[in-house]
């Protein structure tokens, strides 16, 4: 269907006059040319008219005040819409290249058809995001990214509340649960991904590859989250809790002297060779007991929460093993304070990262799946203010994780709080509706493709609509993310034959 | 209410006569203490025997000791463990139950694909006991997944759940790679969870599951266990209080020789020095050699002379472990581990992915291999002809492959 005609502009700003019986939308993809096709994307719309502004005002006045019907010119010719579009790619048979030319003057543009997009194929190790979108219309063209590379090079998901971040993450996780190429750690502060009370990853046909850790009321078959205090090291608190220099020194001194019993030793105020001010140890003890929900009676330490003195010796290692086996591990952190959530995330991430560094040194990394850590409210650990007081495991991964096949999937409403250098390292950005101008600006400035004209486009993204900008796609792809709800119902289930050999049955 | 909780006796596990004797004495001592302490009943959480068809001596010992308990009016409740349960479903526990020496509490019915376990009532105390058997390769995990929990959890009274499964949340660091199931698979709300299978001594309470207890073996079953546990024991529950009853028949002394950058002669000399320095009167001596030796072969270390010296110095028994000893002259053996199960697991993991034709994922492949290994574990029955035995094993294998 013909949508309009090229009437002017410049490279990156092509003016299209809309055909009177066609509708153009921001984000819409248009095609210009037949053998050599230029794909154009609309990024802004303005009115056009053959009538001078003064006459338009006059006509409006006559209509409003006197209810007069005045006709100038042919109805189809007098008023119209002018679209501003940017060329996004050139298709020559099966070759796709960046556009370095203008479409021919006065050339007609038509709406995009599925056949124009045959070059969008499913890559190796796919990570499904959604369907290609032209304006608000969803096309029958699934968009998958090369998951292995994309995860290792970090993903940023940016959106205002209510624009479908959780739905997107669920869709992404659902698509990779049964894939061996990646293990994903999800720190889930809203306990929404497993689907304890509704649809979730537990409903996946390969649900045995989803491991769920929760500190409360674990459904049968899932893990009760317990972490032995012996597994906690001072370095795990980096980025999670702001201790003073003296407190850091005291923690390290206890760790050096008492090894994995250092927390117990702080709580029981065991002596140190080095001298620390009484108040320093006192505050440290108080903060640790509060943070880790620990109690003591003078000679014995008791744990009440997720940290334990008896259970959970292998939890962190178990999770690292599961990630290495390409599983999706969801840790329900909904009952924790932000600091505890980050502490736990930091412990697991440290373990996985140091293992992968070891594998690289031994030449074993190639055989391992990529690991991604899904972080909600990422500025808590990647924010400029946090990083001013020192780096943490997450910022280390953001900077150098790619070399070791460990990446971040950072989710945020406020990308502007993340340092530019880290944002630039996130080579794939999935942008959902973002209302605040500074946040859009931060994303646009660090995008892999030129999005300088897409400010309005991003602002107008509706729920479930997104733009993918990535080093691994040819152009910034507009997508529509399908609704997660209903996926479980359509997933096939296989009933296994049940036998209970060895049980004395009646 | 007072009861004893024993697990992982593994009667007949040791080949060395001296250690086999200690293992026997430890079991006898455990039973004696149960009687002396006037236990109301005894729980044995699996692996009473080391194999499903144990040798006559082990059977005789079990019968004698269980009869002592019976004569003292103390009932014994059991479940089958991964060692005393055969793939064909046969276990010597059935014979002991027929003789009214034990009660296997792993019983119930199947209703709409769900396993409904029943309680066995202890007449004297009113305790309600049920439990789940353990199988090799943790194949019992599927049973738990299909377990009907509601009626077990809603049952009133003092309840005990016996299990023979490694619980993920309770694994110790050394057991990191052991197959385990989450505690959430066990029904909630019981007063005591009598565990077996994992040879550790541990008690813990995890939300909805109080008194989760592993008593460990009554006598250690391997070099690693002797090194880690030193001795065996069992748990005694006395009106809410838990106490671990140690059974220490011999002291265990461990000497670790760091062989890194040393020649066989230097290692021998170092071992002599250490043995002479230690007091070994009547102790079980564990000699661990670790590291990469600088020159020569490990066989050049005078192990015989080292052991002789230790015996002269009064050691009751000497065991050596060279699993962490390597030489520069030979390629390292790929799989090294302290236990048979660990070797099996490592070999399986090293080769997973090689069965292409069945198009299985790694988990399914591991499960298939575990089942096949179990089938190959079937023992020849008394009077069974070789051809019949082979046909029986073949039939079992075909059944598994075609399932």
């Amino acid at each position: 269907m013909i949508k309009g005609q090229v009437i002017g502009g410049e490279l990156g700003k092509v003016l299209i006059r809309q055909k009177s019986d066609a509708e153009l939308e921001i984000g819409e993809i248009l095609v210009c040319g037949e053998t050599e096709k230029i794909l154009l994307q609309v990024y802004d719309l303005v009115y056009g008219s053959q009538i001078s502004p003064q006459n338009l005002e006059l006509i409006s006045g006559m209509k409003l005040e006197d209810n007069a019907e005045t006709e100038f010119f042919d109805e189809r010719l007098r008023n119209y819409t002018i679209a501003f579009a940017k060329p996004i790619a050139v298709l020559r048979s099966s070759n796709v290249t960046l556009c370095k030319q203008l479409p021919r003057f006065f050339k007609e543009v038509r709406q995009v058809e599925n056949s124009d997009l045959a070059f969008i194929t499913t890559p190796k190790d796919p990570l499904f995001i959604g369907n290609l979108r032209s304006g608000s219309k969803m096309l029958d063209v699934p968009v998958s990214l090369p998951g292995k590379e994309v995860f290792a090079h970090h993903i940023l998901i940016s959106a205002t509340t209510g624009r479908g971040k959780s739905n997107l993450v669920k869709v992404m996780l659902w698509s990779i649960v049964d894939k061996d190429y990646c293990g994903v750690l999800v720190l889930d502060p809203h306990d929404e991904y497993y689907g304890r009370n509704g649809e979730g990853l537990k409903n996946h046909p390969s649900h045995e590859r989803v491991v769920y850790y929760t500190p409360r009321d674990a459904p049968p078959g899932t893990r009760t989250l317990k972490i032995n205090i012996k597994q906690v090291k001072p370095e795990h608190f980096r980025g999670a809790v702001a201790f003073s220099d003296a407190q850091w020194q005291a923690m390290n001194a206890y760790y050096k002297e008492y090894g994995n019993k250092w927390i117990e030793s702080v709580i029981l105020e065991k002596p140190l060779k080095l001298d620390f001010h009484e108040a320093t140890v006192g505050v440290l003890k108080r903060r640790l007991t509060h943070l880790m929900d620990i109690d003591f009676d003078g000679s014995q330490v008791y744990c009440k929460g997720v940290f334990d003195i008896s259970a959970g010796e292998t939890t962190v290692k178990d999770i690292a093993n599961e990630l290495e086996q390409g599983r999706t591990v969801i840790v329900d952190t909904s009952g924790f304070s932000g600091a505890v959530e980050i502490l736990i995330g930091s412990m697991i991430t440290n373990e996985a990262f140091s293992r992968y560094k070891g594998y690289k040194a031994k030449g074993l990394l190639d055989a391992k799946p990529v690991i991604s850590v899904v972080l909600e409210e990422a500025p808590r650990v990647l924010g400029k203010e946090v990083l001013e007081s020192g780096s943490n495991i997450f910022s280390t991964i953001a900077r150098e994780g790619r070399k070791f096949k460990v990446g971040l999937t950072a989710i945020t409403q406020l990308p502007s709080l993340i340092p530019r250098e880290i944002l630039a390292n996130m080579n794939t950005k999935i942008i959902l509706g973002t209302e605040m101008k500074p946040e859009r600006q931060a994303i646009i400035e660090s995008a892999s493709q030129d999005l300088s004209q897409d400010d309005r486009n991003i602002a107008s993204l509706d729920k479930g609509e997104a733009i993918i900008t990535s080093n691994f796609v040819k152009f910034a792809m507009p997508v529509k993310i399908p609704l997660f709800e209903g996926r479980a119902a359509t997933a096939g289930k296989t009933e296994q034959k049940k036998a209970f050999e060895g049980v004395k049955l009646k | 209410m007072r009861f004893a909780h024993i697990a992982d006796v593994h009667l007949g596990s040791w080949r060395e006569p001296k250690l086999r004797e200690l293992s026997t004495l430890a079991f006898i001592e455990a039973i004696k203490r149960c009687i002396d302490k006037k236990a109301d009943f005894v729980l044995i959480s699996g692996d009473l025997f080391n194999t499903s068809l144990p040798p006559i001596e082990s059977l005789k010992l079990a019968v004698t000791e269980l009869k002592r308990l019976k004569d003292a009016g103390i009932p014994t409740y059991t479940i089958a463990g991964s060692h005393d349960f055969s793939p064909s479903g046969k276990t010597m526990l059935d014979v002991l139950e027929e003789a009214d020496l034990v009660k296997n509490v792993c019983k119930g019915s199947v209703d709409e694909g769900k396993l409904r376990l029943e309680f066995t009532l202890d007449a004297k105390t009113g305790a309600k006991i049920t439990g789940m058997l353990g199988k090799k390769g943790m194949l019992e995990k599927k049973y738990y997944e299909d377990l009907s929990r509601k009626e077990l959890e809603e049952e009133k009274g003092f309840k005990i759940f016996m299990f023979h499964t490694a619980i993920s949340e309770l694994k110790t660091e050394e057991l990191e790679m052991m197959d385990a199931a989450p505690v959430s698979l066990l029904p909630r709300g019981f007063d005591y969870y009598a565990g077996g299978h994992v040879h550790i001594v541990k008690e813990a309470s995890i939300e909805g599951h109080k008194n989760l207890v592993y008593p460990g073996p009554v006598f250690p079953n391997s070099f690693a266990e002797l090194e880690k546990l030193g001795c065996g024991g069992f748990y005694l529950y006395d009106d809410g209080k838990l106490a671990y009853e140690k059974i220490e028949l011999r002291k265990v002394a461990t000497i670790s020789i760091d062989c890194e950058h040393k020649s066989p002669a230097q290692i021998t000399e170092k071992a002599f020095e250490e043995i002479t320095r230690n007091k070994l009167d009547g102790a079980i001596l564990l000699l661990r050699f670790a590291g990469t030796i600088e020159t020569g072969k490990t066989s050049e270390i005078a192990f015989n002379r080292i052991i002789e010296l230790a015996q002269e110095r009064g050691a009751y028994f000497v065991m050596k472990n060279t699993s962490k000893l390597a030489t520069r002259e030979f390629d390292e053996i790929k799989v090294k581990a302290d236990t048979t199960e660990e070797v099996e697991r490592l070999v399986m993991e090293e080769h997973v992915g090689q069965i292409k034709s069945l198009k299985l994922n790694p988990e399914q492949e591991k499960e298939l291999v575990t089942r096949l290994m179990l089938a190959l574990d079937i023992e020849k029955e008394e009077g069974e002809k070789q051809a019949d035995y082979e046909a029986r094993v073949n039939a079992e294998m075909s059944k598994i492959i075609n399932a």
Side-chain angles (χ1 to χ4, degrees):
Chain A
M1 177 191 178
I2 300 299
K3 286 275 195 166
Q5 201 164 30
V6 174
I7 55 162
E10 57 192 76
L11 197 64
K13 187 181 172 184
V14 175
L15 269 60
I16 295 166
R17 195 269 196 201
Q18 179 190 282
K19 193 169 183 289
S20 65
D21 59 351
E23 284 291 339
L24 284 175
E25 286 183 290
I26 283 189
E28 187 159 355
I29 300 172
L30 302 168
V31 181
C32 186
E34 289 314 315
T35 49
E36 183 180 88
K37 298 172 189 170
I38 295 179
L39 291 187
L40 298 146
Q41 190 181 26
V42 176
Y43 64 83
D44 208 352
L45 298 166
V46 294
Y47 290 115
S49 180
Q50 288 299 308
I51 304 165
S52 70
Q54 265 186 328
N55 282 333
L56 284 172
E57 287 160 18
L58 175 65
I59 295 163
S60 173
M62 288 162 72
K63 186 172 166 64
L64 284 170
E65 308 304 334
D66 301 329
N67 206 18
E69 286 294 328
T70 312
E71 293 283 336
F72 282 89
F73 304 117
D74 182 333
E75 192 184 355
R76 290 170 305 140
L77 301 176
R78 67 191 177 200
N79 295 323
Y80 39 82
T81 298
I82 301 288
F84 291 82
K86 59 174 184 175
I88 50 178
V90 182
L91 316 181
R92 292 181 189 91
S93 63
S94 59
N95 268 347
V96 186
T97 55
L98 288 176
C99 188
K100 294 178 183 172
Q101 65 197 82
L102 277 171
R104 285 181 56 195
F105 200 73
F106 246 52
K107 189 84 179 164
E108 285 176 339
V109 293
R110 61 172 172 83
Q111 74 174 24
V112 72
E113 305 290 343
N114 288 350
S115 56
D116 300 316
L117 303 162
F119 66 92
I120 300 177
T121 52
T122 305
K124 191 173 173 248
D125 303 325
L127 165 64
F128 175 74
I129 304 290
N131 275 36
L132 197 72
R133 176 175 57 80
S134 177
S136 54
K137 187 180 158 200
M138 189 164 87
L139 305 174
D140 190 17
V141 179
V143 175
S144 293
L145 301 175
K148 210 168 173 177
E149 283 79 18
V150 162
F151 275 126
H153 287 70
H154 315 298
I155 301 173
L156 182 89
I157 298 173
S158 150
T160 310
T161 308
R163 294 300 177 99
K165 289 191 294 275
S166 303
N167 183 69
L168 165 64
V169 176
K170 280 185 195 169
V171 168
M172 285 165 66
L173 294 175
W174 182 273
S175 94
I176 52 156
V177 162
D178 54 358
K179 310 284 189 299
D180 289 327
Y181 73 80
C182 67
V184 181
L185 169 68
V186 187
L187 299 172
D188 185 359
H190 308 298
D191 195 17
E192 58 189 331
Y193 296 118
Y194 180 71
R196 178 195 280 263
N197 299 316
E199 271 185 46
L201 295 178
K202 73 170 191 303
N203 304 103
H204 198 282
S206 298
H207 59 87
E208 72 283 354
R209 292 178 58 81
V210 178
V211 194
Y212 178 58
Y213 287 78
T214 177
R216 64 192 166 92
D217 211 7
T222 65
R223 288 279 300 262
T224 304
L225 184 63
K226 285 279 175 194
I227 294 179
N228 200 287
I229 57 170
K230 284 190 282 185
Q231 305 300 315
V232 184
K233 294 178 186 170
E235 70 192 56
H236 295 140
F237 289 93
R238 295 216 174 270
V241 187
F243 285 113
S244 68
D245 284 350
Q247 288 161 359
W248 278 117
Q249 286 164 19
M251 284 163 77
N252 286 319
Y254 268 106
Y255 184 63
K256 199 173 170 191
E257 209 159 317
Y258 291 98
N260 62 14
K261 288 196 170 168
W262 73 276
I263 292 178
E264 223 176 312
S265 305
V266 172
I267 308 292
L268 300 176
E269 294 185 51
K270 290 194 177 169
L272 277 175
K273 284 177 198 154
L274 285 171
D275 226 12
F276 282 93
H277 196 281
E278 212 175 291
T280 304
V281 178
V283 174
L284 183 59
K285 173 180 167 178
R286 200 174 63 234
R287 294 189 74 181
L288 287 177
T289 49
H290 176 69
L291 184 75
M292 304 177 81
D293 209 359
I294 297 174
D295 216 343
F296 62 101
D297 67 0
S299 61
Q300 178 77 39
V301 167
Y302 302 97
C303 294
K304 293 179 286 184
V306 63
F307 294 98
D308 205 286
I309 48 165
S310 179
E313 277 186 49
T314 61
T315 303
V316 171
K317 288 181 175 165
D318 288 346
I319 294 175
N321 289 337
E322 283 148 4
L323 293 173
E324 267 190 55
Q325 290 160 11
R327 299 193 177 191
T328 302
V329 181
I330 300 167
V331 181
D332 165 22
T333 58
S334 60
F336 302 151
S337 66
V340 173
E341 182 192 6
I342 293 166
L343 172 62
I344 292 170
S346 167
M347 292 180 73
I348 302 165
T349 312
N350 254 303
E351 173 72 23
F353 189 52
S354 59
R355 279 189 192 196
Y356 268 44
K357 277 174 119 173
Y359 293 142
K360 170 135 185 162
K362 290 177 194 158
L364 302 171
L365 194 59
D366 283 351
K368 299 287 173 188
V370 62
I371 290 178
S372 182
V373 181
V374 178
L375 266 179
E376 297 260 2
E377 295 165 43
R380 287 183 301 164
V381 284
L382 297 176
K384 290 168 193 162
E385 273 183 37
V386 180
L387 297 178
E388 272 168 18
S389 58
S391 65
N392 56 56
I393 181 65
F394 303 104
S395 63
T396 306
I397 289 177
R399 289 193 175 96
E400 51 180 291
R402 178 176 53 83
K403 291 181 279 183
F404 304 100
K405 288 173 79 170
V406 179
L408 297 177
T409 298
I411 305 170
T412 181
Q413 297 184 47
L414 302 167
S416 66
L417 298 184
I418 298 174
R420 203 184 160 119
E421 155 208 8
I422 290 184
L423 275 183
N425 266 341
M426 304 202 150
N427 286 340
T428 297
K429 294 182 180 72
I430 305 177
I431 310 161
L432 292 112
T434 305
E435 279 155 10
M436 289 180 283
K437 178 99 177 162
E439 307 311 323
R440 293 201 298 272
Q441 210 52 41
I443 290 282
I444 288 168
E445 284 170 5
S446 60
S448 301
Q449 277 86 17
D450 177 17
L451 297 184
S452 55
Q453 290 155 325
D454 283 271
D455 188 54
R456 219 177 280 267
N457 191 2
I458 295 170
S460 69
L461 290 173
D462 212 342
K463 191 172 181 175
E465 293 178 353
I467 296 172
I468 304 169
T469 162
S470 169
N471 289 8
F472 304 97
V473 293
K474 291 280 183 192
F475 58 89
M477 287 201 170
V479 289
K480 173 84 183 167
I481 298 140
L483 268 183
F484 178 80
E485 268 67 37
R487 291 208 150 217
T490 55
K493 281 182 185 165
T494 49
E495 272 297 315
Q496 282 191 331
K497 199 180 150 194
K498 289 166 187 170
F500 301 99
E501 287 161 345
V503 181
K504 297 181 96 62
L505 297 174
K506 277 184 188 169
Chain B
M1 185 186 307
R2 185 182 301 149
F3 62 84
H5 169 201
I6 296 171
D8 300 289
V9 183
H10 289 274
L11 290 175
S13 66
W14 284 103
R15 283 190 188 160
E16 294 80 3
K18 281 189 168 183
L19 294 177
R20 182 179 284 229
E21 190 196 349
L22 286 181
S23 170
T24 301
L25 289 173
F27 181 53
I28 293 170
E29 175 64 18
I31 300 300
K32 180 178 175 296
R33 284 200 213 171
C34 292
I35 296 168
D36 290 350
K37 299 215 178 239
K38 297 188 170 50
D40 292 317
F41 56 86
V42 171
L43 307 171
I44 301 180
S45 297
D47 286 357
L48 173 60
F49 298 107
N50 199 48
T51 57
S52 56
L53 293 170
I56 297 293
E57 310 85 73
S58 300
L59 192 57
K60 196 175 150 193
L61 172 66
V63 168
T64 308
E65 295 308 311
L66 293 170
K67 184 151 187 314
R68 276 173 63 201
L69 282 176
K70 193 188 173 195
D71 292 346
I74 303 171
T76 302
Y77 302 102
T78 61
I79 52 169
S82 48
H83 280 251
D84 44 24
F85 171 80
S86 81
S88 58
K90 289 178 185 169
T91 165
M92 201 47 82
L93 293 180
D94 290 347
V95 178
L96 298 179
E97 191 168 22
E98 279 298 311
D100 207 19
L101 292 172
V102 298
K103 274 192 182 132
N104 185 346
V105 299
C106 180
K107 61 181 185 185
S109 57
V110 179
D111 185 12
E112 293 178 349
K114 286 275 182 189
L115 175 62
R116 287 179 186 273
L117 286 176
E118 283 178 5
F119 284 101
T120 298
L121 183 73
D122 179 67
K124 187 179 167 193
T125 62
K128 295 169 180 176
I129 310 165
T130 187
M132 186 75 87
L133 80 167
K135 298 180 85 174
K136 271 195 180 165
M138 253 211 15
L139 297 177
E140 76 276 12
K141 196 172 171 187
K142 283 211 160 55
Y143 296 10
Y144 280 108
E145 286 164 2
D146 294 320
L147 178 65
S148 181
R149 290 181 163 66
K150 197 163 173 274
E151 57 275 20
L152 293 176
E153 292 176 351
E154 286 177 353
E155 181 78 23
K156 300 273 184 280
F158 187 91
K159 298 182 289 182
I160 297 172
F161 191 85
M162 299 177 72
F163 63 101
H164 190 85
T165 302
I167 296 297
S168 316
E169 289 86 346
L170 298 183
K171 281 193 300 180
T172 53
E173 279 188 87
E174 314 84 73
L175 302 174
E176 181 199 334
M177 300 310 285
M178 188 180 207
D179 275 340
V183 71
S184 64
L185 279 181
L186 305 183
R188 288 164 185 265
F190 279 64
D191 296 276
Y192 190 89
Y193 291 85
H197 185 51
V198 186
H199 294 196
I200 55 172
V201 181
K202 192 154 198 158
E203 53 180 271
S205 290
I206 298 176
E207 202 208 20
H209 303 85
K210 69 174 176 184
N211 294 331
L212 285 153
V213 178
Y214 283 119
V218 290
F219 184 75
N221 281 285
S222 65
F223 184 100
E225 285 175 30
L226 277 165
E227 195 175 33
K228 194 177 71 186
L229 302 171
C231 67
F234 64 96
Y235 261 85
L236 203 63
Y237 175 97
D238 192 355
D239 281 338
K241 286 184 185 151
L242 297 179
Y244 179 64
E245 288 283 322
K246 260 188 178 183
I247 303 175
E248 196 170 17
L249 301 172
R250 294 272 170 183
K251 290 243 173 289
V252 175
T254 306
I255 294 177
S256 295
I257 310 289
D258 178 7
C259 304
E260 201 69 29
H261 306 308
K262 291 190 181 79
S263 67
Q266 285 170 315
I267 294 165
T268 307
E269 193 182 329
K270 180 77 183 158
F272 280 2
E273 249 175 56
E274 291 291 328
I275 288 167
T276 315
R277 192 187 303 162
N278 279 275
K279 216 175 171 189
L280 300 173
D281 297 337
I284 299 167
L285 174 63
L286 305 178
L287 282 170
R288 188 181 272 285
F289 297 86
T292 306
I293 63 174
E294 191 63 38
T295 54
K297 302 171 191 166
T298 54
S299 59
E300 289 167 20
I301 302 170
F303 290 122
N304 285 345
R305 282 171 50 215
I306 293 169
I307 291 169
E308 274 169 26
L309 177 69
Q311 283 166 342
E312 282 166 23
R313 301 273 307 158
Y316 174 76
F317 188 74
V318 185
M319 288 183 88
K320 73 169 199 297
N321 186 308
T322 55
S323 66
K324 291 186 176 115
L325 184 66
T327 66
R328 294 193 190 285
E329 296 180 15
F330 296 96
D331 280 339
E332 212 176 327
I333 296 168
K334 275 194 176 172
V335 171
K336 278 190 171 183
D338 285 329
T339 63
T340 319
E341 287 78 10
E342 185 72 348
V343 173
E344 284 176 1
R345 187 186 62 74
L346 289 171
V347 170
M348 209 190 307
E349 280 179 4
E350 199 176 302
H351 294 277
V352 79
Q354 292 183 19
I355 308 174
K356 307 273 187 220
S357 56
L358 297 177
K359 292 183 181 163
L360 302 171
N361 67 36
E363 281 79 23
Q364 288 169 324
E365 192 175 324
K366 271 161 78 176
E367 189 183 327
L368 173 70
V369 173
T370 307
R371 284 180 180 279
L372 290 173
M373 278 164 62
L374 274 173
L376 288 167
D377 218 18
I378 297 174
E379 288 173 35
K380 189 163 172 268
E381 288 172 4
E382 268 188 38
E384 189 177 29
K385 286 181 182 169
Q386 186 63 28
D388 293 341
Y389 171 57
E390 282 177 17
R392 191 158 62 87
V393 174
N394 280 334
E396 187 65 27
M397 303 276 283
S398 307
K399 202 169 102 188
I400 293 165
I401 290 169
N402 297 323

